[in-house]
């Protein structure tokens, strides 16, 4: 968020673009959000940035009422288009915030120290994060394997299916479900690791047993 | 069809702007008609525009002209009268609603200032009433230089 550096031409251009289809920085009434951004601008925007200029002149007309406008003034980086990097930095905030002032009264030193501390903390967080074992994404798939007719040896069919081995594939329970005219289909459960095994691969290998398997479908697919 | 207002006190009134202005004064909301002489004149100007130019049955050509004129006027203003919300905004909103509802996304971007103003007015408390909310998408698709 934020508009970048509002004292630069680039920042004003971001503001101008943002205001092209809005009357106010936030919502549909003038608020502290507008005042916050207004105070960050040094002078009226140039005439070619006419959306920004329109907004500027409008907010200027609220000068007398600015304390009574609704909302709470937030840091400049909290307003504006979501995809703009917040360049307002710690330096401007630290002047007001007593909590960061742990390392002395000199502003320059302080922001250096604060930066170092932040980097240290970031490094610590990263190392902690990498130590955590990665959680493997798994899914439970229920497959319907259909034979050619009721003469097909379902036990053999099941054997063939279970013979399919793959890294990350574990076969579960199975049962025979009648589909009509004496024919039964094999419903078998398996647990797969998403990265290792896919349903396409399973389908290929199961339907490879052409003597027994007419087709295979995924009856259910649940993420674990 | 011209609206007529019949009240218990005084004669019947005819005419959209006449009735609206009368009701505004009755409700003691005179600021909606402008405060300074200049503001009042500008409000009157747009009320006149609304009645003479923006009426149902305008041709596609007229509609395009109206939108172009309004777009130019609203380039540097938040409201029709500049910085204050007035009756001109309200009546223009109602007058334009049936036009805005039918605009394509591209047209809404073409008349960007009108879209901005329209979106603002329709969110003003009490204005929209039973009219449908015209949607203006947040991310502009046709970003060509104005």
């Amino acid at each position: 968020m934020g508009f970048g550096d509002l004292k630069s031409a680039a920042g004003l251009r971001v503001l101008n673009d943002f205001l092209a289809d809005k009357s106010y920085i936030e919502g549909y009434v003038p608020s502290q959000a507008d005042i916050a951004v207004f105070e960050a601008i040094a002078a009226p925007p140039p005439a070619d940035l006419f959306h920004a200029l329109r907004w500027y002149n409008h907010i200027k007309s609220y000068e007398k009422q600015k304390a009574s406008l609704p909302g709470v003034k937030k840091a400049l980086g909290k307003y504006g288009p979501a995809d703009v990097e917040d360049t307002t930095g710690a330096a401007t905030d630290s002047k007001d915030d007593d909590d960061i002032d742990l390392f002395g009264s000199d502003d320059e030193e302080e922001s250096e120290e604060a930066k170092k501390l932040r980097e240290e903390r970031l490094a610590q967080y990263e190392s902690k994060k990498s130590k955590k074992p990665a959680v493997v994404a798994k899914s439970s798939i229920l497959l319907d394997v259909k034979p050619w007719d009721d003469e097909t040896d379902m036990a053999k069919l099941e054997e063939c299916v279970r013979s399919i081995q793959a890294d990350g594939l574990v076969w579960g329970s199975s049962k025979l479900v009648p589909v009509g005219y004496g024919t039964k289909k094999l419903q078998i459960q398996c647990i797969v690791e998403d990265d290792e095994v896919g349903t396409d691969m399973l389908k290929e290998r199961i339907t490879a047993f052409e003597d027994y398997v007419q087709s295979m479908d995924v009856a259910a697919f649940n993420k674990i | 069809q011209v609206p007529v207002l019949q009240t218990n006190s005084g004669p019947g009134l005819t005419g959209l702007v006449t009735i609206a202005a009368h009701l505004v004064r009755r409700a003691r909301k005179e600021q909606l008609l402008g405060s300074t002489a200049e503001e009042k004149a500008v409000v009157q100007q747009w009320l006149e525009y609304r009645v003479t130019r923006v009426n149902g049955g305008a041709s596609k050509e007229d509609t395009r002209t109206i939108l172009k004129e309004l777009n130019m006027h609203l380039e540097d203003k938040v409201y029709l009268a500049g910085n204050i919300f007035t009756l001109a905004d309200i009546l223009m909103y109602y007058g334009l609603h049936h036009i805005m509802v039918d605009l394509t996304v591209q047209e809404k971007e073409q008349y960007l200032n009108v879209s901005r103003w329209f979106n603002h007015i329709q969110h003003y408390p009490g204005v929209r009433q039973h009219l449908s909310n015209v949607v203006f998408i947040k991310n502009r698709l046709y970003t060509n230089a104005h």
Side-chain angles (χ1 to χ4, degrees):
Chain A
M1 305 274 281
F3 301 98
D5 181 7
L6 275 173
K7 303 220 191 308
S8 75
L12 285 176
R13 267 200 290 277
V14 175
L15 180 66
N16 189 57
D17 231 32
F18 179 77
L19 289 171
D21 60 349
K22 294 174 199 57
S23 296
Y24 302 104
I25 298 290
E26 251 180 17
Y28 295 96
V29 291
S31 66
Q32 294 299 330
D34 299 281
I35 300 297
V37 180
F38 182 85
E39 289 176 348
I41 300 181
D48 61 327
L49 300 180
F50 50 89
H51 300 294
L53 183 57
R54 181 233 328 134
W55 168 84
Y56 186 90
N57 288 330
H58 183 68
I59 300 305
K60 194 142 188 287
S61 75
Y62 285 94
E63 192 109 58
K64 301 216 180 65
Q65 320 158 347
K66 65 176 169 190
S68 63
L69 290 180
V72 175
K73 232 194 267 186
K74 297 190 270 207
L76 208 50
K78 300 270 184 293
Y79 301 119
D83 52 356
V84 172
E85 204 188 303
D86 180 357
T87 57
T88 48
T92 43
D93 288 355
S94 61
K95 275 201 216 125
D96 299 327
D97 197 342
D98 283 335
D99 286 345
I100 301 186
D101 192 1
L102 299 168
F103 301 96
S105 52
D106 189 350
D107 273 3
E108 206 186 316
E109 229 180 61
E110 171 192 314
S111 56
E112 282 267 1
E113 290 281 9
K115 207 165 140 198
K116 233 177 61 181
L117 195 67
R118 193 166 30 113
E119 308 260 301
E120 252 181 64
R121 291 221 188 100
L122 267 176
Q124 271 177 18
Y125 174 68
E126 289 292 320
S127 63
K128 245 206 307 185
K129 213 168 117 175
S130 61
K131 288 212 192 84
K132 244 169 73 174
V135 181
V136 183
K138 286 199 182 145
S139 310
S140 156
I141 314 181
L142 189 65
L143 300 170
D144 270 355
V145 186
K146 300 189 187 71
W148 292 105
D149 56 26
D150 56 346
E151 307 268 313
T152 313
D153 189 345
M154 293 310 291
K156 203 80 192 15
L157 190 146
E158 192 176 329
E159 222 184 276
C160 293
V161 171
R162 285 185 184 274
S163 73
I164 298 174
Q165 299 291 331
D167 192 18
L169 169 65
V170 177
W171 289 109
S173 63
S174 66
K175 65 177 188 215
L176 293 172
V177 178
V179 279
Y181 302 106
T183 321
K184 298 191 192 63
K185 66 179 177 183
L186 176 72
Q187 249 191 14
I188 185 164
Q189 190 108 6
C190 62
I191 311 269
V192 295
E193 275 175 44
D194 292 345
D195 292 335
E196 304 286 332
V197 180
T199 50
D200 305 317
M201 183 278 254
L202 280 174
K203 192 170 186 129
E204 252 181 64
R205 292 177 66 174
I206 291 180
T207 50
F209 296 107
E210 278 170 3
D211 300 331
Y212 297 99
V213 178
Q214 190 226 107
S215 67
M216 181 211 98
D217 288 302
V218 176
F221 192 117
N222 300 313
K223 281 229 158 287
I224 305 178
Chain B
Q1 298 158 323
V2 184
V4 176
L5 178 70
Q6 198 71 47
T7 61
N8 296 327
S9 54
L13 292 175
T14 310
L16 174 70
V17 173
T18 310
I19 295 175
H22 178 69
L23 290 173
V24 163
R25 289 191 194 99
R26 285 288 295 272
R28 314 271 191 82
K29 297 248 165 93
E30 279 96 347
Q31 66 274 23
L32 285 178
L33 294 171
S35 318
T36 67
E38 277 73 29
E39 273 174 10
K40 289 191 187 146
V42 173
V43 173
Q44 273 302 118
Q45 170 187 289
W46 288 105
L47 290 174
E48 200 176 304
Y49 186 96
R50 160 68 184 87
V51 175
T52 56
R53 306 285 301 277
V54 184
N55 39 21
S59 70
K60 205 66 175 77
E61 189 63 47
D62 285 336
T63 307
R64 236 174 282 134
T65 312
I66 294 166
L67 288 172
K68 210 169 93 186
E69 287 175 357
L70 281 172
N71 201 49
M72 276 202 312
H73 175 74
L74 286 167
E75 187 178 274
D76 62 344
K77 295 175 200 63
V78 174
Y79 298 106
L80 283 173
N83 284 326
I84 48 161
F85 176 71
T86 62
L87 187 63
D89 297 292
I90 301 177
L91 292 185
M92 194 66 76
Y93 165 78
Y94 289 130
L96 284 180
H97 188 272
H98 74 281
I99 295 176
M100 298 303 285
V101 149
D102 286 334
L103 286 186
T104 66
V105 172
Q106 191 171 18
E107 283 170 325
K108 282 183 192 146
E109 275 185 31
Q110 188 185 355
Y111 304 111
L112 188 59
N113 301 314
V114 179
S115 297
R116 180 217 352 117
W117 166 85
F118 193 89
N119 200 20
H120 181 149
I121 301 302
Q122 75 179 352
H123 280 90
Y124 204 94
V127 173
R128 187 157 72 83
Q129 309 263 342
H130 63 280
L131 290 175
S132 63
N133 188 39
V134 179
V135 176
F136 297 92
I137 52 177
K138 281 188 160 281
N139 300 310
R140 267 165 283 147
L141 302 177
Y142 307 92
T143 41
N144 37 29
H146 336 103

